[in-house]
Amino acid sequence: MGNKVIVSNRLDGAVLAILPKFIGDAINTLPALALLKQLYPTQRICVLVRPHLTEIFSRASEYGLEVISDDRHCRSKHRGLYGMASQLKHQNFALAVLFRGSLTDAVLARLAGIKNVIGYAQNARRPFLSHAFKLNQCHHYIYRYCKLVNDAHGRPFTHFDTPKLTAQPSTLALSKAQCNIALYLGGKVKGTRYYPQHLAVQVVQHISTIKNINIFLLGDQSEQSDMTSLTSLAQSKGITLHNLAGSMSLAELVDNIGAMDAVISIDSGPMHIAAACGVPCVAIVGHGTSPWSLVAPKTENLIALTHKSTSLNEVDLIQDVSPEKVFQALSTLLCQPPH
């Protein structure tokens, strides 16, 4: 698009990356951030993230990132656009990479006095970008993020590494003699991605047949009631579940997922965390917020179960993935035959 190539060793100042607001999307920027670190090994690489995401990056220390909380989205110490721009302006940023398609983020970078601003030319923000690129909607999210960095710098890279998170020891009382499985099936707040309770309990029943099994339920505070209900339903069938929903910070979620033998998850943050921690994962894919091909984790030990439904009701789609298929996939990952 006629952009002048950025020569990294001629840039004097820190680098700012403005990250997406969702867990999975933020994790998927890690390969692009690794490319930035290679380009600017001696300079500060800062990530501007929503306050609730800061803990994720405490488990990404190998990337050498400095985390800045985006206080435009903090209730306790809210900053407006100009206040946030003023805070950033004092940090001598020479380059900003916009990993979100937000017009406001482009304006923020300019108000912060950042001369070089890289981003996709969408949402009327081209005038605020020094290096504007055309977005190919068919590209995987990781590829989109890496391509922004690579193209702006003259394409010095030919490959990228997959996202990596390093879990700390879990505080859960886990035994190596047991098989520990975490389930994140979402709550009703997940809409069309939610795996309904009548199917979820069947998954639990299948898994409970595994010898020396421990089953943990994951979820946030908005999903506590759904997970409590599922726990009670399982107990009525003589199955014990460890309900962790709403009791963990994001850092603890990473640590607990990292301690599991396998995870079963809908298309959401815990699935991306499992992939980044190298934990085997069964993904139950219904109608998501993005096409599956654009967000699928790039890992070998993940089995994605996509629907084949012909229903015109989007809520029905995920129900095409049967509990039997979920258990068969889990058995494959655990290298043991299904019952």
Side-chain angles (χ1 to χ4, degrees):
M1 299 183 68
N3 294 316
K4 185 177 180 180
V5 171
I6 297 174
V7 180
S8 58
N9 60 13
R10 295 181 183 174
L11 227 58
D12 182 23
V15 176
L16 177 69
I18 301 181
L19 269 52
K21 63 181 179 179
F22 297 116
I23 294 173
D25 294 344
I27 291 173
N28 279 336
T29 65
L30 289 172
L33 293 168
L35 298 184
L36 281 173
K37 192 62 180 177
Q38 290 184 61
L39 288 165
Y40 301 94
T42 62
Q43 287 155 268
R44 294 166 56 221
I45 308 293
C46 302
V47 290
L48 183 66
V49 301
R50 301 290 178 108
H52 71 282
L53 290 178
T54 55
E55 288 192 358
I56 281 285
F57 290 89
S58 68
R59 300 301 185 260
S61 57
E62 68 179 83
Y63 291 90
L65 306 170
E66 181 178 321
V67 180
I68 302 174
S69 176
D70 191 342
D71 290 339
R72 291 177 295 168
H73 309 282
C74 181
R75 291 181 179 178
S76 60
K77 48 180 179 180
H78 174 74
R79 291 179 186 269
L81 177 64
Y82 290 98
M84 196 71 227
S86 177
Q87 178 185 340
L88 296 175
K89 196 167 187 176
H90 290 91
Q91 301 200 42
N92 190 33
F93 288 112
L95 170 67
V97 185
L98 311 183
F99 290 126
R100 289 185 68 225
S102 163
L103 172 61
T104 305
D105 287 347
V107 173
L108 173 67
R110 283 303 191 185
L111 288 175
I114 304 173
K115 182 179 178 181
N116 298 287
V117 181
I118 304 169
Y120 285 114
Q122 57 186 142
N123 300 326
R125 62 188 194 158
R126 180 191 291 270
F128 301 96
L129 305 175
S130 64
H131 292 71
F133 296 91
K134 183 178 180 181
L135 173 64
N136 185 331
Q137 298 281 0
C138 295
H139 284 160
H140 191 284
Y141 279 25
I142 296 178
Y143 191 87
R144 294 182 189 185
Y145 301 144
C146 289
K147 189 172 173 59
L148 268 182
V149 174
N150 202 35
D151 286 2
H153 292 84
R155 301 180 181 177
F157 302 105
T158 58
H159 293 80
F160 57 82
D161 293 326
T162 55
K164 297 289 188 300
L165 293 175
T166 303
Q168 300 299 312
S170 171
T171 58
L172 298 175
L174 302 177
S175 169
K176 291 184 178 180
Q178 293 181 302
C179 183
N180 300 296
I181 306 295
L183 275 66
Y184 177 66
L185 303 177
K188 295 182 184 69
V189 293
K190 288 297 182 183
T192 57
R193 288 183 289 165
Y194 168 58
Y195 197 63
Q197 190 171 99
H198 71 280
L199 296 179
V201 73
Q202 292 179 52
V203 169
V204 168
Q205 286 179 291
H206 283 303
I207 298 174
S208 68
T209 63
I210 298 175
K211 187 178 180 180
N212 295 326
I213 188 72
N214 263 336
I215 307 173
F216 298 87
L217 296 183
L218 308 178
D220 61 26
Q221 290 184 347
S222 69
E223 296 160 328
Q224 276 183 309
S225 61
D226 293 296
M227 294 306 103
T228 299
S229 177
L230 178 57
T231 301
S232 298
L233 186 56
Q235 286 176 341
S236 72
K237 299 180 182 297
I239 303 169
T240 298
L241 300 180
H242 304 281
N243 184 7
L244 305 178
S247 65
M248 298 171 290
S249 66
L250 265 181
E252 290 170 330
L253 178 62
V254 174
D255 298 341
N256 291 336
I257 286 177
M260 295 294 141
D261 294 295
V263 171
I264 297 172
S265 176
I266 59 171
D267 172 14
S268 195
M271 174 193 70
H272 290 284
I273 292 173
C277 289
V279 176
C281 182
V282 177
I284 305 173
V285 184
H287 178 74
T289 53
S290 298
W292 172 248
S293 62
L294 303 185
V295 298
K298 292 182 176 293
T299 179
E300 294 293 333
N301 57 354
L302 179 141
I303 297 176
L305 302 176
T306 57
H307 72 85
K308 302 294 189 294
S309 175
T310 57
S311 173
L312 289 172
N313 186 349
E314 293 175 351
V315 176
D316 293 340
L317 303 184
I318 199 167
Q319 299 187 50
D320 187 61
V321 180
S322 71
E324 291 75 20
K325 290 179 181 176
V326 175
F327 183 63
Q328 287 169 5
L330 177 65
S331 299
T332 299
L333 289 176
L334 295 176
C335 297
Q336 65 178 63
H339 68 285

